[in-house]
Amino acid sequence: MTDKLLSEPAIPPTTQPLPAAPGFLTRAFGGILPGLALTVLIAAAAYGLRQIPGMGLVSPLVLAIVIGMGLHNIFGTPAIAKPGVKFALRRILRFAIVLLGLQLTFAQVRSVGFVGFSIVAGTLFATFFATRWLGRLMGVDRQLSELIAAGTAICGASAVIATNTVTRGSDEDVAYAVACVTVFGSLSMLIMPALLPYTGLDAHAFGLWTGSSIHEVAQVVAAAFQGGQQAGEFGTVAKLSRVMLLAPLVIGLGAAAIWRARGDKEAGHASPPMPWFVFGFIGMVMLNSTGVVPAEVKANIAVATTFLLAVALGAMGLETDIAKLRLKGVKPLMLGAAAWLFISVLSLILIKTLM
């Protein structure tokens, strides 16, 4: 008996076999795969719809959120997809915003010139704070007012979803704000070139007007190039310099949210929503400004960035109830219209006065 015990190696009772790699990966990532696959399919469908004649002018971000909303409100979002949808709304969104920095350089800002950049920055911040103030007067929720203000003042849908990381509005707030900036940005894209002969603006000034006031980058490009090659190129650069101001605005809103949380005893236990990912955005701008990233790589990353943003907005659509949108009424739409008129007129006045 003793010999048998000595011949058999003792196995510690606490020893557990390591999990097999496939099983471990399934447990770690399997939960998000169904929802992530669904949001990727929605983004792909958005790009497919843009191949239809006349749909190419519509941003894939807008199409993605519309498709997501349609699926959610007609069929419902499957419970198995929820974890992946949440992952797309948080992780993928932040990663895409970081990559957005690779489309900007500090040299682009310098090329706009001191006066031009002052007009862009002055118009942006005046529009944001005026819209938020007007929203308070009109009785529009603070979160929705801030999202409409950011989307109008900076860069449309991208600014709305970036700002919401600190504003923390509902998915319906985001959808409403995206709808506002899409509608009124599209109106600017059509109206501004028609008004060009009556404004007295040269190509340079017209490019600055479009770049400092139209909501989406694609809308700026479509409108500015109707004023000629010089107007198109300068309008695009002016718009990109405006996009760069997304970082300080979101950081400022995050700091304000921290201040509010500290002053609110009930919210004292909540973690402050400081948007650390924005520093990644700034880091990408700095990296791109060095010139070490090849143009071909940047072009591919730009395409991937837009696709990832479409994935995030598709997820947003899957979380949005149209019935809740109706409850918000027409006041936010009126606020979006007022913000659109404000930024269009103010930027034109500043250009006519200072240029």
Side-chain angles (χ1 to χ4, degrees):
M1 183 70 175
T2 304
D3 293 338
K4 183 178 180 181
L5 289 173
L6 290 175
S7 63
E8 293 180 355
I11 300 176
T14 56
T15 301
Q16 297 291 336
L18 293 174
F24 173 75
L25 292 176
T26 300
R27 285 193 295 274
F29 300 104
I32 68 171
L33 289 180
L36 194 56
L38 179 58
T39 57
V40 169
L41 285 174
I42 289 173
Y47 275 83
L49 284 177
R50 296 184 80 239
Q51 306 307 310
I52 299 174
M55 294 293 289
L57 294 176
V58 182
S59 168
L61 308 187
V62 174
L63 292 174
I65 196 171
V66 169
I67 295 171
M69 287 172 62
L71 290 175
H72 175 73
N73 288 275
I74 296 173
F75 304 105
T77 302
I80 194 174
K82 293 288 186 180
V85 170
K86 296 291 186 185
F87 180 84
L89 274 174
R90 294 177 183 140
R91 305 298 182 186
I92 290 182
L93 170 61
R94 285 161 173 76
F95 181 62
I97 293 172
V98 170
L99 291 181
L100 194 62
L102 285 175
Q103 300 181 30
L104 308 169
T105 66
F106 294 119
Q108 290 171 330
V109 176
R110 288 194 299 271
S111 70
V112 176
F114 177 77
V115 174
F117 185 74
S118 297
I119 291 172
V120 169
T123 301
L124 186 154
F125 288 107
T127 299
F128 180 84
F129 289 109
T131 302
R132 196 169 64 168
W133 171 78
L134 183 58
R136 188 163 57 246
L137 286 184
M138 295 174 64
V140 179
D141 291 341
R142 178 186 62 82
Q143 290 93 338
L144 181 52
S145 295
E146 284 190 353
L147 295 180
I148 292 174
T152 303
I154 309 175
C155 56
S158 300
V160 170
I161 56 180
T163 302
N164 197 53
T165 58
V166 292
T167 295
R168 291 186 170 181
S170 66
D171 296 324
E172 288 74 28
D173 287 339
V174 173
Y176 204 122
V178 169
C180 281
V181 299
T182 300
V183 168
F184 295 115
S186 298
L187 286 176
S188 288
M189 180 180 69
L190 298 172
I191 293 173
M192 285 186 174
L195 292 178
L196 177 57
Y198 308 101
T199 59
L201 299 177
D202 59 18
H204 184 275
F206 179 69
L208 181 59
W209 187 33
T210 59
S212 62
S213 61
I214 298 181
H215 303 11
E216 295 273 0
V217 175
Q219 293 166 344
V220 171
V221 172
F225 273 96
Q226 293 187 57
Q229 185 71 21
Q230 182 185 358
E233 292 175 355
F234 192 75
T236 303
V237 171
K239 177 62 177 179
L240 291 177
S241 68
R242 184 173 152 204
V243 173
M244 194 175 292
L245 294 173
L246 174 67
L249 181 65
V250 174
I251 291 172
L253 289 174
I258 292 173
W259 181 80
R260 283 195 302 270
R262 287 175 178 171
D264 186 353
K265 293 181 180 179
E266 295 181 357
H269 63 278
S271 59
M274 174 54 74
W276 299 110
F277 67 93
V278 176
F279 293 100
F281 171 91
I282 296 172
M284 290 297 101
V285 175
M286 296 174 65
L287 176 65
N288 194 32
S289 299
T290 64
V292 300
V293 183
E296 299 166 351
V297 173
K298 287 193 294 183
N300 291 330
I301 291 176
V303 173
T305 301
T306 304
F307 185 81
L308 291 175
L309 288 172
V311 168
L313 275 180
M316 187 74 66
L318 290 171
E319 295 275 289
T320 303
D321 291 322
I322 292 178
K324 293 180 181 179
L325 281 176
R326 292 197 196 101
L327 292 177
K328 297 186 180 296
V330 297
K331 284 185 179 180
L333 185 63
M334 294 169 60
L335 177 62
W340 166 59
L341 291 173
F342 182 90
I343 194 171
S344 302
V345 173
L346 176 62
S347 59
L348 180 60
I349 291 174
L350 291 177
I351 290 169
K352 296 284 285 185
T353 303
L354 301 177
M355 296 292 289

